[in-house]
Amino acid sequence: MTEWMLAQVADWGALALAIVTFLSCLAIPVPSSMMMLTAGAFAASGDLALIPAAAAALAGAVLGDQAGYQLGRLGFQQAEGWLLRSRSRAAVLERARSSVQKGGGVAVFLSRWMFSVLGPYVNLLAGGAGMTWITFTVMGVLGEMVWVVAYIGLGYLAGGQIGQASEILGNALGLLASLALTLGLGWLLWKRTHRHPAP
C-alpha cells in the first residue's frame, strides 16, 4: 500500500500530496511524511515543481485541520447540554475551555510537526474545548508550514537518499521532542517551586 501511494506522487504530483496530507490530519493512516520526502526528491530531479508541491501539501494539511476543528466543535455542541446539567461538570468544562484558549495555541503548533501523531486529536479537542478559530488557524498554519518545509525540503536536499533522510529527520524530531518535554517539565517544576516557596 505504501509503495502504491508513493507511486501516486509521480503520477498525480501536487494533487496526491494535497489529498494525503488532508487525510492524515483526519487520523487516516497514510504515509504523508514519506510522500512529502519523495516529492522533495522528485523536485530535486526536476520531475516535480517544488513550490506547487509544497503549496498543495500545505493546503491539504490546513483543510484537514479545519475539518477536524469543525468536527470537534459540532460534536461538542451535541454534548454540551448534557455536560452543563451538572454544576461540577460545568465548572470543569469552563476551566478546560479557559486553559485551551490561553495556552492551547502552543499545543496546536507543536502537534503539527513535533508531535504530529497527536495532531488530529488536538484538532478535535481544540474545536470541542472552545479554542478561538483565529488562534487555532494561525498556530495550525504556522505548524503545518514547519512540517511541510521540513519534509519536502529534506527530500529535496537528500535527492535519492530518501531512506537515510527519513531516518535523520526521525532522529532529529525525537531529539526535539525530548528537549521540549524536558523544558516543559523544568518549567512546571520551576512554577510549582515558586508557587509554594520553601519556609
Side-chain angles (χ1 to χ4, degrees):
M1 180 69 173
T2 299
E3 289 180 8
W4 178 84
M5 293 199 75
L6 291 175
Q8 303 316 300
V9 176
D11 294 339
W12 294 94
L15 178 61
L17 289 175
I19 292 170
V20 81
T21 54
F22 176 83
L23 294 175
S24 71
C25 292
L26 296 175
I28 296 171
V30 290
S32 53
S33 296
M34 185 59 75
M35 286 180 76
M36 285 195 289
L37 282 170
T38 303
F42 285 162
S45 66
D47 295 323
L48 190 65
L50 180 63
I51 300 303
L58 179 61
V62 169
L63 288 174
D65 289 343
Q66 291 296 319
Y69 176 84
Q70 294 302 331
L71 285 171
R73 177 165 280 186
L74 290 172
F76 177 77
Q77 286 172 351
Q78 299 297 320
E80 188 174 21
W82 175 79
L83 290 168
L84 292 176
R85 285 182 200 155
S86 161
R87 210 174 268 179
S88 61
R89 284 197 301 258
V92 170
L93 179 63
E94 191 52 43
R95 283 200 304 273
R97 182 181 281 127
S98 175
S99 174
V100 165
Q101 288 176 341
K102 286 179 184 172
V106 173
V108 171
F109 174 74
L110 294 177
S111 66
R112 304 307 90 177
W113 58 281
M114 188 180 293
F115 306 107
S116 55
V117 70
L118 301 176
Y121 309 103
V122 171
N123 295 343
L124 292 169
L125 289 170
M131 178 182 289
T132 59
W133 177 81
I134 190 68
T135 299
F136 175 81
T137 300
V138 169
M139 299 307 282
V141 169
L142 290 174
E144 296 296 12
M145 288 174 69
V146 173
W147 184 49
V148 168
V149 168
Y151 278 90
I152 291 184
L154 188 59
Y156 186 87
L157 294 174
Q161 308 299 317
I162 296 294
Q164 292 90 327
S166 178
E167 186 177 346
I168 289 168
L169 190 55
N171 291 338
L173 289 176
L175 179 62
L176 285 172
S178 300
L179 181 60
L181 185 61
T182 301
L183 290 173
L185 289 173
W187 179 78
L188 287 173
L189 183 60
W190 179 85
K191 190 174 178 183
R192 186 182 180 112
T193 303
H194 284 75
R195 185 185 299 165
H196 303 293

